[in-house]
Amino acid sequence: VTAKNGKGMVQVFTGDGKGKTTAALGAILRAAGHGLKIFIVFFMKGNYTCGEYITLNKLPDVTFASFGLRQFISKNKKIDPREKKQAEAALAAAGEAVRSGDYDLVVMDEINVALDYRLIALEDIIDIIKNRPAHVELILTGRNADSRLIEIADLVTEMVKIKHPYDKGVKARPGIEY
Amino acid sequence: VTAKNGKGMVQVFTGDGKGKTTAALGAILRAAGHGLKIFIVFFMKGNYTCGEYITLNKLPDVTFASFGLRQFISKNKKIDPREKKQAEAALAAAGEAVRSGDYDLVVMDEINVALDYRLIALEDIIDIIKNRPAHVELILTGRNADSRLIEIADLVTEMVKIKHPYDKGVKARPGIEY
């Protein structure tokens, strides 16, 4: 694997606004155009069919893995051990992809949320980041990014919600929101 | 054309942080997975080769058009008439794509910047938005979105820069930033 993009950085997309996962997908579209090898792990999605899966499947240089139960998680409820197991498996998959050096870009989608819900440990994420091969670019998405991750990251954008149709009761639409 | 996504909305991605165009590209990747027809107009790019063009070209349901001179524009300088002509042509292309009803999603990338530099007129943008076929979803990107456009939009995210490697003198990298 050639380090086509030189030294890999760490990007974090956080905040309560729409556009975090969407921006990660856009980064993949862009990177794939340059022939970079890409791995994306969805931490909190489950394996239901999203529009992005169909397109990602068509891009030869993109590999993806999807984890999480398809259920609403609340911070006030006790952690579902199955949910924790899924998040740990997602982190293991991400860690393996990073350490292999086979990928130029590894996206960990909603990892911030998995951490915020204490499904995975901060130290394990930092270990993956710090011990990665030099050419590997990382993108971490999800609201409530940990301050330590923001500190380590090279690029951080906070997606701030100014307006969202969910607030007016509009439901998620296929092809647009998922 | 079937209105696969029901009633089309207007999304605005603005702010000074990375992720606006990237999120629009991600929205395209997602929409293409559902078989939606997509048109994207790049207002301020010129026709140099970006990673995203290569991938967009591989997606059968995506059409794109690129405008703008490849030069730095400053608000303090006199407007270059060639730049204005390019932006007007971009708006005409976007308007035609929207009115045709042939597309489910029309992305106007960096249109906010073109407006902010007074290369195009606000009323012409509003006209396109207000008179579009009901099923057409619009995404407008670029910093300094006009307050009237924010008012009209259904979904607005401000991408706020928390950290950006450009600030440390790191240059744009192929596959990552373009």
Side-chain angles (χ1 to χ4, degrees):
Chain A
V1 175
T2 334
K4 284 181 188 137
N5 55 332
K7 206 188 157 309
M9 292 190 181
V10 179
Q11 303 185 30
V12 172
F13 295 134
T14 192
D16 62 352
K18 183 185 165 72
K20 302 178 290 292
T21 295
T22 323
L25 293 172
I28 289 174
L29 188 148
R30 183 174 279 152
H34 281 278
L36 301 189
K37 303 283 177 207
I38 302 135
F39 194 93
I40 174 165
V41 182
F42 295 99
F43 274 69
M44 310 289 289
K45 274 230 155 132
N47 56 357
Y48 67 104
T49 309
C50 297
E52 51 261 45
Y53 291 178
I54 298 163
T55 313
L56 291 175
N57 262 331
K58 287 184 188 157
L59 301 176
D61 293 331
V62 180
T63 307
F64 73 88
S66 190
F67 298 87
L69 307 175
R70 199 185 172 182
Q71 63 180 22
F72 181 75
I73 303 184
S74 161
K75 268 201 219 177
N76 304 320
K77 279 198 298 187
K78 229 183 114 196
I79 290 170
D80 183 333
R82 294 173 305 162
E83 194 72 59
K84 199 168 186 316
K85 209 171 164 184
Q86 283 284 307
E88 285 167 350
L91 192 67
E96 201 177 298
V98 170
R99 281 187 301 272
S100 74
D102 290 344
Y103 302 96
D104 302 293
L105 170 63
V106 177
V107 177
M108 303 180 207
D109 183 57
E110 303 289 12
I111 190 172
N112 294 332
V113 176
L115 175 61
D116 191 38
Y117 288 150
R118 302 178 182 279
L119 302 176
I120 50 177
L122 175 63
E123 294 314 317
D124 292 337
I125 302 173
I126 292 175
D127 181 66
I128 291 173
I129 295 173
K130 296 229 158 157
N131 296 310
R132 74 190 192 281
H135 71 282
V136 180
E137 181 97 6
L138 300 178
I139 298 180
L140 287 68
T141 79
R143 57 176 70 196
N144 298 332
D146 191 277
S147 60
R148 284 284 306 280
L149 295 179
I150 289 176
E151 198 186 303
I152 293 170
D154 302 287
L155 184 151
V156 181
T157 302
E158 185 184 353
M159 274 67 172
V160 177
K161 181 175 74 173
I162 308 293
K163 252 189 196 182
H164 200 296
Y166 292 173
D167 298 338
K168 293 194 287 181
V170 176
K171 294 212 176 103
R173 298 160 300 157
I176 304 295
E177 277 87 20
Y178 64 91
Chain B
V1 174
T2 333
K4 284 180 189 139
N5 55 332
K7 206 188 156 310
M9 291 191 181
V10 179
Q11 302 186 30
V12 172
F13 295 134
T14 191
D16 62 351
K18 184 183 165 71
K20 301 179 292 292
T21 294
T22 322
L25 294 172
I28 288 174
L29 188 149
R30 183 174 279 153
H34 281 278
L36 301 190
K37 302 283 176 207
I38 302 135
F39 194 94
I40 173 165
V41 182
F42 295 99
F43 273 71
M44 311 289 288
K45 274 231 155 132
N47 55 359
Y48 67 104
T49 308
C50 298
E52 52 260 46
Y53 291 178
I54 298 164
T55 313
L56 291 176
N57 262 331
K58 287 183 188 157
L59 301 175
D61 292 331
V62 180
T63 307
F64 73 88
S66 190
F67 297 88
L69 307 174
R70 201 185 169 179
Q71 64 181 21
F72 181 75
I73 303 185
S74 160
K75 269 201 216 177
N76 305 319
K77 279 199 300 186
K78 230 183 114 194
I79 291 169
D80 184 331
R82 295 172 305 163
E83 197 70 61
K84 198 168 188 315
K85 209 170 164 183
Q86 283 285 307
E88 285 167 349
L91 191 66
E96 203 177 297
V98 171
R99 281 187 300 271
S100 74
D102 290 346
Y103 302 97
D104 302 292
L105 170 63
V106 177
V107 177
M108 304 181 207
D109 183 57
E110 302 289 13
I111 190 172
N112 294 332
V113 177
L115 174 61
D116 191 39
Y117 287 151
R118 302 178 182 279
L119 302 176
I120 50 177
L122 175 62
E123 295 313 317
D124 292 337
I125 302 173
I126 293 175
D127 181 66
I128 291 172
I129 295 173
K130 297 231 157 156
N131 296 309
R132 74 190 191 281
H135 70 282
V136 180
E137 181 97 5
L138 300 179
I139 298 180
L140 286 69
T141 81
R143 57 176 71 197
N144 297 331
D146 191 278
S147 59
R148 283 284 304 281
L149 296 178
I150 290 175
E151 197 187 305
I152 293 171
D154 301 288
L155 184 152
V156 181
T157 303
E158 185 183 353
M159 274 70 172
V160 177
K161 181 176 75 174
I162 307 292
K163 252 190 195 181
H164 199 297
Y166 291 174
D167 298 339
K168 293 195 286 181
V170 177
K171 294 214 175 98
R173 298 160 299 158
I176 304 295
E177 276 88 19
Y178 65 90

